[in-house]
Amino acid sequence: MLRMDQPTFCHAVMTPEDFSKYRVFVESLFSSTWLAQSAPHRLRTVWRRTDKLAKVEIASLGFFIKQLEPEHKRWLADTVQDVKDQDQSPHGPLFEIVTLGSLAARGMNVRPMKKHFPGYDAVVSDRDGYNLRVSIKNHDISTHEKQFRFESARLANIVRRRVLASAAGWQAVIRSRTHLDTSAFEEIARVLRATPIRSGELAPGLFPKRGASIQMRKLSDSKFLPGSYTCNVMCPQTAYEQARFRKNINIAIKKFDEHSPRSPEYSNVIFMRLHGSADVEEVRRYANEAIAKEGCSVDAILLYQAVVGYDNITQGITYYATHVVSARYKGPSLKFPLQFLSGAVVSKPLGRELVIASSEEVTHVDDIASEYSYQRGELRYRVQEGRTAFEFPDPIPGIKQKLSFRHHDGIVQFSQPCIEDEDLVLL
């Protein structure tokens, strides 16, 4: 869970008018016919959603398109085709629209380069005449983490079925001190299917053998109805995760070295988007090392991350940016050069915590930034007879929450809005 427990230095709220105003730019550019097609595509998925986060993402994309459309129609058309061609991972070309549209909204002059232009993606100039050659890169979620989430979802479904059959409520916390490969997930699944549910650790032999443990805890509080459950899965990242961002930064630097060496007229800058679970500070440390190497032609690197955060009952998108700048850099401030339609800019990466059963019961996990983590569940709350009011607890990522109370017409249930997949698709 990403908790907004820190001060923000910028906050904006999208209005219904904003959504209506900017949504039409997405529809016009991508075409309503293409957006309505049933073939899978991440942009189509978020277009069909009606929740607040989806509306913010769609309106934000429309806002950036609006900034670029008057002067860069041809470039937008080419970039849109790239987005359409990349149905599962369109974040690369989308981040180019986000970055250049945001800089244009800041009053900077942006000039996108032609497709496959070597070295960099755009020239950006500010009012003082500084010229930046900007390479726009996307560090997306890895296939290893996607596989971890897929296998964890299978475990959560097993836990759900076992809990429903137990006529009680349970928490399952599955954690490993080593990376869980497919065979380890299979073994844990077998244990969950075959072992009677009881408090404590299931199959203790797993820990010395696999480095994994399955802890079960009964939800004994009377406020939880039978069938309530949560499932958390955690394990260390693969070594490949650390190598990936080094590779991505090195590729961008190499292109500058080969095609756009340092020039007194320009500063060479990399803008890199990091996916929501990336360790920003670890990436920043390596970026600092890379830029300090003798002969490096890159003058500055900006790292950007957008995630869904929570502040008590509020759910919204938070933006964090950090940069490393060499003494050679002569451009404008990179403290936070981007502009967004809705959300909060934060001064440090959001702290992570795993919620076990309620906002009062939190499992704090050390060094979670270097782990894969997954959380799913459903908490069913009993409203005692005679009560006339009941408020949902704080939202919990990945956890559905339901209220149930007896009425003269029978049992009435209310569900708290919940988005299981909080990966941002467009930002």
Side-chain angles (χ1 to χ4, degrees):
M1 181 177 187
L2 296 171
R3 177 73 66 178
M4 291 187 284
D5 55 354
Q6 55 172 294
T8 61
F9 55 87
C10 178
H11 192 277
V13 178
M14 187 191 74
T15 66
E17 291 75 21
D18 288 332
F19 175 66
S20 300
K21 176 182 178 181
Y22 295 118
R23 182 179 185 273
V24 297
F25 287 93
V26 179
E27 188 171 28
S28 174
L29 187 62
F30 285 88
S31 90
S32 56
T33 302
W34 183 85
L35 289 166
Q37 291 175 9
S38 59
H41 192 286
R42 296 198 74 191
L43 177 54
R44 289 193 186 109
T45 299
V46 73
W47 178 263
R48 287 191 290 266
R49 282 167 41 190
T50 59
D51 57 272
K52 175 185 173 183
L53 290 177
K55 289 182 177 180
V56 169
E57 286 211 87
I58 290 295
S60 297
L61 180 60
F63 172 75
F64 299 132
I65 291 170
K66 181 179 183 293
Q67 313 306 315
L68 299 170
E69 205 169 50
E71 297 183 22
H72 306 296
K73 282 185 168 58
R74 177 60 185 271
W75 178 84
L76 279 171
D78 291 342
T79 306
V80 162
Q81 191 57 52
D82 287 344
V83 172
K84 291 179 177 180
D85 291 342
Q86 299 177 35
D87 55 346
Q88 295 303 310
S89 301
H91 250 129
L94 282 170
F95 187 50
E96 292 185 28
I97 296 175
V98 169
T99 301
L100 298 183
S102 180
L103 294 174
R106 287 282 190 190
M108 296 185 177
N109 178 51
V110 301
R111 179 165 59 89
M113 311 313 292
K114 294 180 179 179
K115 194 174 182 178
H116 304 308
F117 185 86
Y120 54 94
D121 299 298
V123 172
V124 177
S125 306
D126 73 352
R127 296 184 184 90
D128 296 327
Y130 290 118
N131 295 310
L132 309 180
R133 291 188 291 208
V134 178
S135 175
I136 303 170
K137 299 299 178 187
N138 172 46
H139 178 69
D140 215 342
I141 185 172
S142 69
T143 54
H144 294 81
E145 186 164 2
K146 287 180 181 178
Q147 184 66 22
F148 166 82
R149 293 185 184 185
F150 173 79
E151 298 289 355
S152 296
R154 292 178 58 211
L155 297 185
N157 282 330
I158 296 172
V159 171
R160 178 182 61 83
R161 291 194 297 268
R162 295 300 310 277
V163 170
L164 288 174
S166 73
W170 292 90
Q171 306 165 352
V173 179
I174 301 164
R175 190 171 189 187
S176 176
R177 62 188 177 192
T178 59
H179 179 68
L180 294 173
D181 57 18
T182 302
S183 64
F185 273 107
E186 288 294 339
E187 187 164 0
I188 293 171
R190 285 195 296 271
V191 171
L192 288 172
R193 291 191 191 100
T195 307
I197 295 181
R198 60 176 183 271
S199 294
E201 185 172 353
L202 303 185
L206 269 180
F207 196 86
K209 181 181 178 182
R210 285 286 191 183
S213 65
I214 306 172
Q215 294 286 340
M216 301 297 298
R217 176 182 175 189
K218 193 169 186 178
L219 297 177
S220 56
D221 195 315
S222 61
K223 69 182 179 182
F224 294 117
L225 286 165
S228 296
Y229 80 99
T230 62
C231 179
N232 290 335
V233 187
M234 294 156 280
C235 79
Q237 297 176 352
T238 64
Y240 175 68
E241 288 293 340
Q242 306 301 321
R244 282 178 64 239
F245 61 74
R246 291 185 175 93
K247 177 182 178 182
N248 289 339
I249 288 176
N250 288 339
I251 289 173
I253 291 175
K254 184 178 180 181
K255 288 184 177 179
F256 269 121
D257 290 341
E258 293 178 348
H259 304 287
S260 310
R262 290 202 300 266
S263 165
E265 299 177 10
Y266 297 94
S267 288
N268 292 340
V269 181
I270 297 171
F271 278 43
M272 179 174 283
R273 172 196 168 271
L274 306 178
H275 66 88
S277 55
D279 185 346
V280 184
E281 293 307 310
E282 181 64 26
V283 180
R284 188 182 189 280
R285 280 191 288 272
Y286 181 74
N288 199 42
E289 293 175 11
I291 210 172
K293 291 180 180 178
E294 185 176 354
C296 179
S297 60
V298 173
D299 304 306
I301 299 175
L302 178 106
L303 304 171
Y304 152 86
Q305 186 180 58
V307 298
V308 177
Y310 290 78
D311 181 6
N312 296 325
I313 62 171
T314 302
Q315 177 193 60
I317 299 176
T318 65
Y319 308 94
Y320 173 70
T322 185
H323 60 271
V324 295
V325 178
S326 73
R328 305 180 300 271
Y329 180 71
K330 301 183 183 303
S333 171
L334 290 178
K335 186 172 183 180
F336 201 93
L338 305 179
Q339 179 167 318
F340 294 96
L341 185 63
S342 176
V345 175
V346 293
S347 55
K348 61 181 180 180
L350 266 61
R352 289 173 178 250
E353 55 189 29
L354 290 179
V355 177
I356 295 300
S358 71
S359 56
E360 291 80 24
E361 299 176 44
V362 177
T363 296
H364 294 278
V365 182
D366 295 334
D367 196 26
I368 194 173
S370 62
E371 294 195 358
Y372 297 139
S373 61
Y374 180 90
Q375 179 170 268
R376 287 293 182 274
E378 182 176 302
L379 296 177
R380 305 175 179 183
Y381 298 94
R382 176 186 289 108
V383 180
Q384 296 178 351
E385 290 189 37
R387 290 193 62 176
T388 58
F390 189 100
E391 292 185 1
F392 276 112
D394 292 352
I396 305 174
I399 306 293
K400 297 178 181 178
Q401 301 193 76
K402 295 183 177 180
L403 300 181
S404 180
F405 67 94
R406 291 189 177 277
H407 191 263
H408 56 78
D409 293 328
I411 296 178
V412 180
Q413 292 187 334
F414 294 97
S415 297
Q416 183 187 57
C418 172
I419 302 172
E420 290 192 3
D421 183 359
E422 293 187 336
D423 286 335
L424 295 172
V425 177
L426 310 180
L427 298 176

